[in-house]
């Protein structure tokens, strides 16, 4: 045991640990800590185990005198010894057992010194020795008192041992089964009553059951009948006390069964040593009872000064209990720890002693491969580690200023237990390179992060409670801003109070703490940011507080890692930046998306209800566009009211969103309104002129068709969203958007000039500061709608007087006047409805459409139309009337514009006054030029291009088709065999 008494160097913990006062690490007292040695699986109580352990102790000490006889000292003699209390006692009993050693030594305990515990000379404990010395003057007597054994019981045990030794002279105690021998030494008369005797007998039988049947040194052989016989005897004894006389049959059976089972050895031969109390965990539970005698019976937290002598005697039981130095060190560690726990965790000396004792356990763990020891070691250390980690995983709650000095011991205890468990027991660890795993650092890292998270959660709850208490006050401080201040204080406290202690095992203790705090607050900050729809003053306040907190935490991490290998880069990398500006930017983008989405939903909803009625307002544009533009204006104003410093940088995002949203409105405004080709009639197939066709057309039928068409036009243009008045409103709406966009863009420049963070370049540079898509879309939309209005008017609304009426039958009687009359009415209505800035364009498009319609009637009007050469004059007159309608005596469209748009008609009309032979020759010539030499043998039928021209074959062919002339009819019949009717 020499190494047990060696002083352990603990200078790093500081001398103050040896002088710590009584502190409370935990307010509640934990007394239900489970034994790591396991359960005995029978109902032996602690007091019964203690009495058995005392019997073993006395027997072992009395039989270890190297052949000296066991002597019994009557109680009267012991009383005389107690009364004398003289130094001469020791010399007068020099030949007696070690149990009778005098308690006169005043030397400091080597064990207590090795454990780092205070000596009895401490003024706090100075009254305790005298109280004990009045009761015990020998080590044996002290042990009896410490184990709470009565004098009568002690006397009975000693008498029994004398009788046993007399009957088995020279036989060592380890060669006996003590409970078996004791059962034969007493009769019921030697006890106070039969009940006491029965309890005593049953205890010894239960001990035999536990040591030989339940927890044998060697596993039981299933073929052996002895275990069954022993069980039967114990069972019968429970109903009726066992007859223990020497000649008792039941006793003989019991002895035979017990001795055959206890004398077994691993080699298969009968052993000289009886194995009845050295099976696990019975032996450890008994040994635990002996070691608990090291604590003062009157003051439970105090290790007696005579612990050296007591442990020396307890060691004599090792041969019976199968204990060695390793198991002693482990069991003593647990006893010290359990005593600290069971006495309310108030004496830090005990905890300090456990930590020192674990140093011996660590040495043992490195040198043994005993699986039983490893199992018990793992269980014991797991219990100790579990207790320590329960406190260290939330050390902010466990340790305060009044008990912070004990924290280092608890940390050391937890780290020591963890290192033994991982380094000396874990097979996985052994497979790795040990230098790759720093157990202490990993555990401390876990403790820091866990406790920091717990403390953070508590601070957050506290901040929330404060916020709720102040919620009725004007402008209460935002929760996360309050929390940021609290976390900054927590980080400072961590750096000053806890990190200096933890730095012994983890060089970056403060850095780990602040990195964890940084992450915890960052998670809350992210959640807060993701949960708000728009940027508010509270959000700004929170982000600024977060920015300050981040700077404080990073500063602590940098200072803590100055001397580290990587300069703290790993810790800094762990602290993902909050990026307050990015957070603000993202919030603004969320705000932008929300506003744009709301606007788009409003656009869709109101477009469905929009009637495009010209009667809705004086300006003749859609009421919905007023609301759309108002919302856009309000959105821009709200954007520049946001309390941020990055308006110029984020404005392009807003403008892009508004631009797309407004573009959606523009697209919906012009969609479904038709186009030029949608209103053009289908060209009939080519026929040659039917000479009698113009006489077969009845004027009455023409009138009926005309009336029917008029009624249809009126219906179509009423409340139809695609009627001419409604299309004009759509045009006006697009024009209004163009005008207002210019106003908005000028207002944006003013906003930017007033923004704090705007630079001159932001104002001058127009990129991202304008509506990029909508202006062009408006121009394109006006063009599309204007053309749709024109062709709808000419080919749809006026179809009955143009396509169905003009020149049908006799040209002289179906001239253009009816069409001009209705067209003039349409033009007046359109001029009154459409905006002045686009009026000329719309009228011009109608003029172009009417010119196209005029030519289409002449060149593709179908078999009901035919023209003689002399009809050319009236056709030209009608076209002049049509042009004059747009000129309107100088009040309409300009001459040059009319001339430009009428060029094609003016070029084609001379063909109608050209003689037929000349037309045929020109047609041949142009066709040959177009199709080449292959056309000489047979003239091909030219395709219809729709682009009329006096030099285009199809145009010439169509003039011939509608020429009311025999020559033309013969040519067409011969050349193309064209029919006279469809």
């Amino acid at each position: 045991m020499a190494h047990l008494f060696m002083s352990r160097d603990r200078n790093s913990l500081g001398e103050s640990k040896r002088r710590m006062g009584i502190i409370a690490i935990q307010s509640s007292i934990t007394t239900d800590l489970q034994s790591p040695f396991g359960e005995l699986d029978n109902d032996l109580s602690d007091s019964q185990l203690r009495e058995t352990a005392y019997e073993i102790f006395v027997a072992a000490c009395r039989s270890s005198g190297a052949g000296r006889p066991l002597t019994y000292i009557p109680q009267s003699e012991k009383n005389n010894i107690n009364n004398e209390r003289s130094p001469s006692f020791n010399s007068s009993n020099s030949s007696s057992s070690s149990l009778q050693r005098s308690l006169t030594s005043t030397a400091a305990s080597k064990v207590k010194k090795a454990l780092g515990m205070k000596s009895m000379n401490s003024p706090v404990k100075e009254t305790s020795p005298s109280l004990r010395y009045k009761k015990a003057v020998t080590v044996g007597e002290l042990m009896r008192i410490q184990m709470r054994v009565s004098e009568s019981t002690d006397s009975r045990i000693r008498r029994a041992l004398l009788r046993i030794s007399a009957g088995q002279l020279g036989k060592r105690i380890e060669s006996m089964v003590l409970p078996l021998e004791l059962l034969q030494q007493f009769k019921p008369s030697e006890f106070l009553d039969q009940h006491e005797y029965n309890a005593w007998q049953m205890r010894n039988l239960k001990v035999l059951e536990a040591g030989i049947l339940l927890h044998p040194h060697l596993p039981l052989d299933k073929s052996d009948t002895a275990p069954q016989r022993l069980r039967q005897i114990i069972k019968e004894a429970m109903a009726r006390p066992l007859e223990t006389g020497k000649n008792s049959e039941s006793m003989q059976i019991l002895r035979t069964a017990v001795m055959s089972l206890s004398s077994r050895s691993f080699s298969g031969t009968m052993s000289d040593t009886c194995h009845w109390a050295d099976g696990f965990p019975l032996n450890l539970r008994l040994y635990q009872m002996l070691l608990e005698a090291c604590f003062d019976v009157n003051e439970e937290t105090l290790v007696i000064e005579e612990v050296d002598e007591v442990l020396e005697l307890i060691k004599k039981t090792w041969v019976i209990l199968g204990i060695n130095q390793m198991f002693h060190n482990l069991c003593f560690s647990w006893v010290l720890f359990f005593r600290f726990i069971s006495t309310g965790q108030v004496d830090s000396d005990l905890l300090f002693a456990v930590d020192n004792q674990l140093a011996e356990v660590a040495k043992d763990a490195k040198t043994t491969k005993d699986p039983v020891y490893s199992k018990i070691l793992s269980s014991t250390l797991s219990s100790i580690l579990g207790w320590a980690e329960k406190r260290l995983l939330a050390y902010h709650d466990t340790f305060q200023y009044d008990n912070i000095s004990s924290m280092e011991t608890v940390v050391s205890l937890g780290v020591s237990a963890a290192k033994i468990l991982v380094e000396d027991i874990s097979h996985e660890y052994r497979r790795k390179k040990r230098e790759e795993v720093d157990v202490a650092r990993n555990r401390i890292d876990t403790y820091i992060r866990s406790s920091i998270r717990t403390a953070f959660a508590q601070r957050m709850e506290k901040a929330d409670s404060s916020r709720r208490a102040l919620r009725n006050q004007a402008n209460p401080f935002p929760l996360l801003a309050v929390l940021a201040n609290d976390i900054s204080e927590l980080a400072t406290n961590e750096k000053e109070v806890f990190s200096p202690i933890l730095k012994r095992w983890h060089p970056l203790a403060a850095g780990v703490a602040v990195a964890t705090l940084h992450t915890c607050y960052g998670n809350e900050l992210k959640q807060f940011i993701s949960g708000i729809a728009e940027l508010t003053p509270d959000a700004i306040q929170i982000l600024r507080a977060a920015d300050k907190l981040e700077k404080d935490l990073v500063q602590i991490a940098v200072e803590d890692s100055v001397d580290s290998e990587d300069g703290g880069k790993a810790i800094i990398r762990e602290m993902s930046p909050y990026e307050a500006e990015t957070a603000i930017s993202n919030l603004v983008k969320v705000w932008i998306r929300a506003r744009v989405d709301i606007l788009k939903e409003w656009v869709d909803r109101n477009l469905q209800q929009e009637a495009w009625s010209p009667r809705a307002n004086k300006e003749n544009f859609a009421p919905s566009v007023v609301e759309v533009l108002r919302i856009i204006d309000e959105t821009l104003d709200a954007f520049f009211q946001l309390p941020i410093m990055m308006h110029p940088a984020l404005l392009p995002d807003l403008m892009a969103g508004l631009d797309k949203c407004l573009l959606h409105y523009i697209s919906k405004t012009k969609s479904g309104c038709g186009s030029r080709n949608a209103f053009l009639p289908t060209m009939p197939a080519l026929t040659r002129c039917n000479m009698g066709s113009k006489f077969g057309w009845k004027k009455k039928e023409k009138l009926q068709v005309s009336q029917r068409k008029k009624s249809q036009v009126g219906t179509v243009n009423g409340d139809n969203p695609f009627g001419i008045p409604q299309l004009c409103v759509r045009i006006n709406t697009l024009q209004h958007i163009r005008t207002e966009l210019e106003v908005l863009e000028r207002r944006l420049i003013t906003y930017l000039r007033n923004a704090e963070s705007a630079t001159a370049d932001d104002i001058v540079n127009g990129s991202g500061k304008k509506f990029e898509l909508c202006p062009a879309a408006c121009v394109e939309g006006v063009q599309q709608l204007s053309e749709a209005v024109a062709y709808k008017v000419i080919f749809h609304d006026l179809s009955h007087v143009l396509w169905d009426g003009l020149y049908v039958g006799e040209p002289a009687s179906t001239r253009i006047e009816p069409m001009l009359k209705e067209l003039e009415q349409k033009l007046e209505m359109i001029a009154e409805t459409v905006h002045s800035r686009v009026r000329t364009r719309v009228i011009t498009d109608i003029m172009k459409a009417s010119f196209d319609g005029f030519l289409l009637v002449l060149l593709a009007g179908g078999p009901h139309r035919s023209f003689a050469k002399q009809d050319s004059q009236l056709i030209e007159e009608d076209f002049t009337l049509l042009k004059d309608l747009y000129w309107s005596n100088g009040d309409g469209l300009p001459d040059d514009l009319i001339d430009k748009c009428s060029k094609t008609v003016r070029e084609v009309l001379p063909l109608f006054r050209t003689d037929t032979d000349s037309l045929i020759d020109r047609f041949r010539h142009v066709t040959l030029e177009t199709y080449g030499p292959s056309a000489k043998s047979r003239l091909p039928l030219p395709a219809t291009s729709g682009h009329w021209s006096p030099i285009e074959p199809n145009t010439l062919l169509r003039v011939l088709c509608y020429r009311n002339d025999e020559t033309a009819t013969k040519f067409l019949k011969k050349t193309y065999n064209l029919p006279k009717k469809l």
Side-chain angles (χ1 to χ4, degrees), residues 907-927:
E907 289 175 347
V908 170
L909 286 183
L911 295 177
F912 287 87
R913 61 174 178 263
T914 304
D915 62 86
T916 302
D917 292 333
S918 298
L919 283 174
I920 293 173
D921 291 341
R922 186 184 298 185
F923 171 71
R924 291 179 183 278
H925 176 72
V926 170
T927 301

Side-chain angles (χ1 to χ4, degrees), residues 134-145:
K134 290 179 181 179
K135 297 181 180 180
V137 294
T138 66
V139 178
E141 183 69 3
L142 174 62
M143 194 67 176
R144 180 190 68 77
I145 296 171

Side-chain angles (χ1 to χ4, degrees), residues 266-285:
F266 284 102
S267 63
T269 61
M270 298 300 288
S271 171
D272 292 336
T273 300
C274 289
H275 300 287
W276 65 273
D278 52 355
F280 297 94
L282 175 63
N283 58 348
L284 294 181
R285 294 296 299 276

Side-chain angles (χ1 to χ4, degrees), residues 177 235 433 469 526 556 679 683 708 970:
V177 179
K235 182 178 179 181
K433 294 182 179 179
K526 289 177 183 177
I556 292 174
F679 294 109
M683 290 188 185
R708 185 172 64 252
K970 289 181 179 180

Side-chain angles (χ1 to χ4, degrees), residues 471-535:
R471 63 188 172 194
N472 294 327
Q473 294 187 4
N475 301 320
F477 213 54
L479 170 62
L480 286 183
V482 174
L483 185 62
N485 294 334
D486 288 350
I487 298 309
S488 184
E489 293 176 3
L490 179 61
T492 301
N493 183 66
E494 182 77 18
K495 173 187 175 184
E496 296 174 353
V497 177
F498 297 109
S499 296
I501 297 173
L502 299 172
K503 204 172 182 67
R504 174 186 167 196
W505 293 275
H506 197 308
L508 300 177
V512 170
V514 296
T516 306
L517 281 174
H518 186 276
T519 300
C520 289
Y521 187 84
N523 291 338
E524 298 300 325
L525 189 64
K526 289 177 183 177
Q527 186 175 356
F528 165 77
I529 291 173
S530 64
I532 59 175
E534 59 184 5
L535 206 60

